[in-house]
Amino acid sequence: MTMDYKDNVLYFDDINILEFAQSNQTPFYLYSENIIKNNYNSYSESFGSHSHNICYSVKANSNLSILSLLAKLGSGFDIVSGGELTRVLRAGGDPTKIVFSGVGKSEEEIIQALDNNIMCFNVESKDELNTINKIAKQKKTKANISFRVNPAINVNTHPYITTGMRDNKFGIEQSEIISLYKDASSLDGISIVGIDFHIGSQIMEIEPYLESLIKIIAIVDNLDALGIPLKHIDIGGGLGISYEDESIVDKKLFLSEIIQIIGDRKLTLVIEPGRSIVGESGLLVTKIINIKESSAKSFAITDAGMNDLMRPPLYQAYHSIREVFRQPVSKATYDVVGPICETADFLGKDRVLSISQGDFLAIENVGAYGFSLASNYNTRPKIDEYIVSNNNVNKIRTRDTIDQILENEIKFIQN
Ligand code: LLP
């Protein structure tokens, strides 16, 4: 059991959160190495003997220690910027297991990726293909590419995190894809290696993947008949986690159904999971600065705000919130809000809690798109991050100082 109460005190991975919060500055993120390892291993064990590459999606949580942990487990990486590439390299990741996604890769980023021999560019448009070809030719090399196909599939998730619907900016329309592969096959700077799709995030069902895959496999077979054989098929990321008792997709069942559709085609299966590896591994621990009652509502005002955790205001996302010490006082209903000057600055609404000023709260399932979406809004430092490894808590990031936040501006003040 990762989360548990003993004598009304919350334990996470056997760590007494009350003691830890009392002796360290709040707010902070705390992750569980065990959960990350278990999620990674349950993916890797589910492939059976099928050739595969798990490319962890760096955007979900890009802390260097977490990338290093995954690199040591053998993970590849899905990146979307030169910055993420630098992170993976600094963390000891293998560049030949990197796929580079995203609709707008800059020339500098393409050069950096070519210089580091990444496994594949997931190409999103004809313009991008031509840019990559031009740069690869200048460098007298060949860029490995796959095209990202838009499978035009409706997915049941928040509209901001669907990516494979007809009107999303992502992927290439199926009607254009064959002619694009043909064009690419004649380019000197391009080596065609795969095909790719990604239909969205926080997906709780297998069917949209299977429907998409059937469409993509038809394209693969078509290309094969045209003399353009592919080495891999990348089905993206997107499997959801349980934020509020939702039932989640079983990874083994998911991959076995995918592998069944691939059949005896000699295609390495690439996946790009983010949330389903790190999401459940993270807690955000925050202190209640004040309790404020109005005639309409009671507010618990915390030292963590929307700059630390963007998901509630951005997607109306639900994260469960627990008392770190369960007070023997009666429960009441609170909006848990941050100190930022925005009405959207909330962590949870209408939560039933027994709390008073100075108590700590733990916000659950924030390992993915928690810290990675954090900002310095209101000139607030990005906070400390810790990880529990073998029953010890290790610091993996120190909070920004205000001087660091000001550093890149201060020299420009005109006298
Ligand atoms: N591959 C590609 C091309 C992606 O765009 C994404 C996520 C992933 C993989 C990883 O997806 P995952 O397995 O984590 O679902 N900020 C939002 C989620 C945005 C997801 C964007 N793309 C949130 O907090 O819910």
Side-chain angles (χ1 to χ4, degrees):
M1 183 88 179
T2 310
M3 295 276 272
D4 209 359
Y5 282 98
K6 283 180 216 162
D7 297 328
N8 289 321
V9 171
L10 184 67
Y11 281 72
F12 177 68
D13 247 10
D14 286 334
I15 301 297
N16 179 323
I17 300 298
L18 181 61
E19 268 178 18
F20 193 77
Q22 282 167 338
S23 47
N24 291 282
Q25 189 171 4
T26 57
F28 58 82
Y29 277 95
L30 178 65
Y31 308 107
S32 156
E33 184 174 301
N34 272 338
I35 295 183
I36 298 174
K37 277 187 178 166
N38 288 344
N39 285 331
Y40 178 86
N41 289 335
S42 88
Y43 268 121
S44 82
E45 285 156 15
S46 303
F47 284 96
S49 58
H50 198 100
S51 152
H52 65 272
N53 190 357
I54 302 171
C55 292
Y56 165 71
S57 192
V58 173
K59 65 173 84 68
N61 187 320
S62 51
N63 182 285
L64 289 174
S65 298
I66 288 179
L67 300 182
S68 155
L69 168 69
L70 287 162
K72 286 187 190 118
L73 292 173
S75 188
F77 296 92
D78 161 50
I79 59 162
V80 289
S81 70
E84 286 192 350
L85 174 54
T86 305
R87 278 186 179 272
V88 171
L89 297 174
R90 296 272 168 92
D94 178 353
T96 65
K97 289 188 192 166
I98 291 179
V99 295
F100 193 166
S101 304
V103 286
K105 304 168 190 80
S106 71
E107 296 208 356
E108 293 73 23
E109 289 173 325
I110 293 167
I111 291 168
Q112 187 190 358
L114 279 174
D115 285 346
N116 283 288
N117 283 321
I118 65 160
M119 174 178 125
C120 183
F121 291 88
N122 290 338
V123 176
E124 291 259 7
S125 63
K126 186 166 186 162
D127 272 0
E128 184 174 85
L129 175 71
N130 290 333
T131 308
I132 295 174
N133 178 49
K134 182 190 78 186
I135 297 172
K137 274 178 26 190
Q138 281 163 1
K139 293 185 142 302
K140 302 200 176 8
T141 183
K142 276 182 183 280
N144 291 333
I145 67 115
S146 82
F147 284 112
R148 175 166 173 179
V149 183
N150 182 336
I153 288 287
N154 287 342
V155 185
N156 194 9
T157 187
H158 191 280
Y160 284 8
I161 51 179
T162 65
T163 55
M165 288 163 73
R166 203 179 294 278
D167 59 357
N168 289 137
K169 70 177 173 182
F170 300 103
I172 293 162
E173 282 200 88
Q174 291 159 82
S175 56
E176 290 175 28
I177 200 76
I178 296 286
S179 77
L180 216 48
Y181 269 102
K182 282 187 192 159
D183 290 349
S185 68
S186 67
L187 298 176
D188 292 338
I190 296 292
S191 168
I192 296 170
V193 291
I195 192 160
D196 156 55
F197 66 92
H198 172 81
I199 51 180
S201 195
Q202 186 54 14
I203 297 171
M204 308 306 273
E205 44 191 9
I206 298 182
E207 286 69 27
Y209 285 96
L210 302 183
E211 268 180 61
S212 305
L213 183 61
I214 288 166
K215 294 183 182 189
I216 303 303
I217 285 286
I219 298 170
V220 172
D221 290 347
N222 207 336
L223 289 170
D224 207 42
L226 291 167
I228 306 177
L230 303 184
K231 293 185 188 148
H232 78 245
I233 184 159
D234 178 347
I235 62 169
L239 281 192
I241 62 169
S242 174
Y243 286 103
E244 204 179 354
D245 279 340
E246 305 93 326
S247 53
I248 57 165
V249 168
D250 178 73
K251 297 185 179 74
K252 193 164 188 163
L253 178 71
F254 170 69
L255 286 173
S256 77
E257 299 214 10
I258 299 278
I259 289 169
Q260 211 176 327
I261 295 178
I262 295 177
D264 56 11
R265 295 173 186 83
K266 297 266 167 293
L267 288 170
T268 295
L269 178 54
V270 178
I271 58 171
E272 303 171 359
R275 187 189 322 258
S276 53
I277 289 188
V278 291
E280 302 156 337
S281 79
L283 270 192
L284 172 61
V285 178
T286 179
K287 187 175 183 167
I288 299 170
I289 304 175
N290 297 308
I291 303 270
K292 182 170 169 177
E293 318 269 352
S294 75
S295 55
K297 285 249 174 196
S298 297
F299 296 97
I301 301 167
T302 57
D303 59 3
M306 66 189 278
N307 72 303
D308 303 304
L309 182 65
M310 243 335 235
R311 300 195 74 256
L314 194 53
Y315 313 112
Q316 290 78 47
Y318 176 91
H319 287 269
S320 72
I321 300 179
R322 292 182 185 238
E323 300 95 340
V324 169
F325 179 67
R326 283 185 184 148
Q327 294 278 12
V329 293
S330 58
K331 290 188 182 262
T333 302
Y334 297 91
D335 278 6
V336 180
V337 300
I340 287 179
C341 299
E342 297 258 359
T343 305
D345 181 26
F346 69 93
L347 301 171
K349 296 217 163 144
D350 296 322
R351 301 306 173 88
V352 180
L353 297 162
S354 61
I355 45 173
S356 37
Q357 185 186 33
D359 285 351
F360 299 104
L361 293 173
I363 295 118
E364 288 187 82
N365 298 312
V366 294
Y369 309 108
F371 189 91
S372 64
L373 278 172
S375 76
N376 291 120
Y377 187 43
N378 280 201
T379 309
R380 286 164 50 84
K382 287 197 229 161
I383 60 183
D384 292 317
E385 292 175 287
Y386 300 90
I387 195 163
V388 185
S389 321
N390 305 319
N391 294 330
N392 287 317
V393 185
N394 297 316
K395 197 167 201 169
I396 55 172
R397 182 186 195 275
T398 303
R399 66 172 46 230
D400 308 337
T401 63
I402 299 297
D403 280 344
Q404 283 171 333
I405 299 177
L406 303 187
E407 192 169 45
N408 292 339
E409 299 163 43
I410 204 132
K411 56 185 176 238
F412 298 109
I413 296 180
Q414 313 259 330
N415 289 320

